[in-house]
Amino acid sequence: MHPIKRPDHFKLGLFSSNCSGGLAVTKIDERWGATWPENLRMAKLADQVGIDFLLPIARWIGYKGDTNFHGHVLEPIPWAAGLLAATERISVFATIHTAFNHPLVTAKQMATLDAIAPGRAGINVVAGWNKPEYEAMGVDMADAHDDRYGFAQEWFDVVKQAWEREGIYDVNGKYFTLQHVEAEPRPAPGNIPVLNAGSSTQGRDWAARNSDFVFTITPSAEAGADIVTGVKANARDAYSRDVGVLTLGHVVCRPTRAEAEDFMQYYAVDNADWGAVDYLMQLQGMHAQSFTPEMLATLRGRFASGHGSVPIVGTPDEVAAEIAKFHAAGFDGMTLAFVDYAGELEYFAQEVLPRLEAMGIRQPVASA
Ligand SMILES: Cc1cc2nc3c(=O)[nH]c(=O)nc-3n(C[C@H](O)[C@H](O)[C@H](O)COP(=O)(O)O)c2cc1C
């Protein structure tokens, strides 16, 4: 079974390892380079220790600062293809930006990933937000923005039809007029789980209608309980569908709390790439006046340490207890990020995964 679909199992994934820095906006020399050898090493280890899925970011230009955070990005489709071929059980997602990818090309790329590793490829659909990227691509975001999710709906309908429909057919939509379409091979029905990240009303609605999992940011595990309830209720009420809800955090796990906090201070405070942090926050509209200076300071720190996600810092006992809070809040799983995805995963797998299994919120890899 697709690891992402395992029941009674709090799913864990690794997010953003295809981008330089990962989620850590830091200048330290040992920051994540997102090279292919690093990704391959991480994926093989993740596969072996029982991590359920790998999730890349669709990113086209960097965030400036001293390091040009996310300036080096392995494109998700070939990244996923290579990692699926090199692993045996883990789910690997490709994150696809609707505005920059033709849906028939995406449909066939995904079908090809499913042919490489049947039942292990997934798609994460992103509908776009980052204006400088649209400018780099020469795509008008003003037009698309009015009906970004309308466009994304039609885009995804074309993908799904290509996966499901036999023979030759035409598509006559508002955005796509396609003649004599044919799409072979097709993935086996239900083989490609759909994930979507978006937080506006339209974004949540899109996810409720189309996704198996909503990927959403939360300020804390506790605050996530209402988000989970809202997303699930919306999907049930509006579309009679069940959706899973995933969120994201970043981890520093060390034998003592002091060591974990020292490392956090080192990479995310003393050596943060503040130029990139501020640019990233500004792009995401987070320097708006609605934030108090205290909220902004907390957020700014979180952007440096993990792109705004929840920090999970401490000893293996503390880290396991924090992760368990997300399970208790009703999340179906979460992604994690490490400064060194490969090196730190080894310690995490050795110390934290068995604790989560002992708590009964995850099943051992051997039972998959
Ligand atoms: C957890 C998370 C992951 C995301 N990953 C990507 C990504 O890889 N590439 C991208 O362009 N946008 C990404 N986004 C942005 C969303 O897809 C979306 O465009 C943005 O949140 C604005 O959507 P909204 O208007 O529905 O809030 C991500 C957002 C979240 C919350």
Side-chain angles (χ1 to χ4, degrees):
M1 179 192 297
H2 228 296
I4 190 89
K5 292 184 179 167
R6 286 179 79 182
D8 304 322
H9 179 72
F10 185 74
K11 271 68 95 177
L12 290 179
L14 299 175
F15 179 45
S16 190
S17 72
N18 67 317
C19 300
S20 54
L23 290 188
V25 194
T26 180
K27 295 192 283 195
I28 60 173
D29 286 343
E30 61 275 36
R31 65 184 180 273
W32 185 249
T35 64
W36 177 248
E38 284 173 318
N39 273 274
L40 190 59
R41 192 172 142 238
M42 172 207 74
K44 287 184 169 178
L45 181 62
D47 193 38
Q48 191 190 325
V49 301
I51 296 294
D52 302 293
F53 65 102
L54 304 175
L55 182 64
I57 285 191
R59 183 90 306 126
W60 305 99
I61 54 175
Y63 288 112
K64 306 183 180 177
D66 292 332
T67 61
N68 195 27
F69 177 63
H70 283 191
H72 162 112
V73 173
L74 300 180
E75 204 285 323
I77 290 280
W79 175 88
L83 297 184
L84 284 165
T87 52
E88 287 174 8
R89 46 153 295 279
I90 198 165
S91 294
V92 183
F93 281 78
T95 297
I96 307 294
H97 197 303
T98 53
F100 308 149
N101 292 276
H102 193 283
L104 285 179
V105 177
T106 299
K108 199 174 271 285
Q109 286 171 324
M110 293 306 306
T112 305
L113 293 183
D114 189 55
I116 292 171
R120 289 204 288 127
I123 186 169
N124 176 28
V125 178
V126 293
W129 63 278
N130 190 353
K131 189 140 196 291
E133 283 190 336
Y134 281 77
E135 289 163 358
M137 288 289 185
V139 174
D140 188 351
M141 178 154 152
D143 285 345
H145 192 260
D146 281 351
D147 193 13
R148 243 172 348 126
Y149 282 102
F151 176 84
Q153 188 60 55
E154 201 177 306
W155 182 94
F156 188 62
D157 289 341
V158 173
V159 171
K160 272 191 72 177
Q161 239 189 120
W163 285 348
E164 290 167 3
R165 196 160 165 176
E166 288 183 40
I168 298 174
Y169 57 91
D170 294 344
V171 173
N172 291 301
K174 180 171 166 193
Y175 303 98
F176 293 99
T177 304
L178 314 171
Q179 290 178 321
H180 39 82
V181 175
E182 48 185 309
E184 296 277 351
R186 292 188 303 278
N191 249 20
I192 301 185
V194 179
L195 207 144
N196 170 251
S199 39
S200 61
T201 310
Q202 290 155 303
R204 278 188 174 190
D205 195 63
W206 194 97
R209 181 167 167 192
N210 302 289
S211 298
D212 298 295
F213 291 96
V214 178
F215 188 35
T216 185
I217 196 142
T218 180
S220 66
E222 293 79 0
D226 284 347
I227 298 175
V228 172
T229 313
V231 168
K232 290 194 187 247
N234 181 38
R236 257 194 312 272
D237 297 347
Y239 297 102
S240 304
R241 295 183 74 243
D242 279 326
V243 293
V245 186
L246 306 173
T247 188
L248 60 162
H250 56 283
V251 175
V252 179
C253 185
R254 297 289 186 276
T256 66
R257 180 156 193 91
E259 282 171 271
E261 284 177 350
D262 282 354
F263 186 67
M264 187 67 140
Q265 173 78 24
Y266 163 67
Y267 89 84
V269 182
D270 300 343
N271 291 292
D273 184 351
W274 293 116
V277 167
D278 287 337
Y279 182 59
L280 172 56
M281 289 181 71
Q282 181 199 327
L283 280 178
Q284 299 212 333
M286 305 196 99
H287 277 170
Q289 309 239 323
S290 48
F291 293 99
T292 63
E294 294 76 40
M295 281 164 77
L296 207 54
T298 307
L299 263 179
R300 200 166 173 248
R302 279 190 181 194
F303 265 85
S305 63
H307 206 301
S309 66
V310 180
I312 303 175
V313 182
T315 63
D317 278 334
E318 289 168 331
V319 167
E322 275 305 304
I323 291 175
K325 286 185 193 165
F326 289 91
H327 173 257
F331 286 104
D332 295 273
M334 71 190 299
T335 63
L336 308 174
F338 301 91
V339 169
D340 176 359
Y341 288 87
E344 293 180 64
L345 178 60
E346 212 166 318
Y347 183 65
F348 178 87
Q350 205 178 305
E351 297 293 334
V352 181
L353 290 181
R355 284 168 163 82
L356 296 173
E357 287 162 19
M359 289 175 187
I361 69 171
R362 281 178 57 83
Q363 312 308 318
V365 61
S367 68

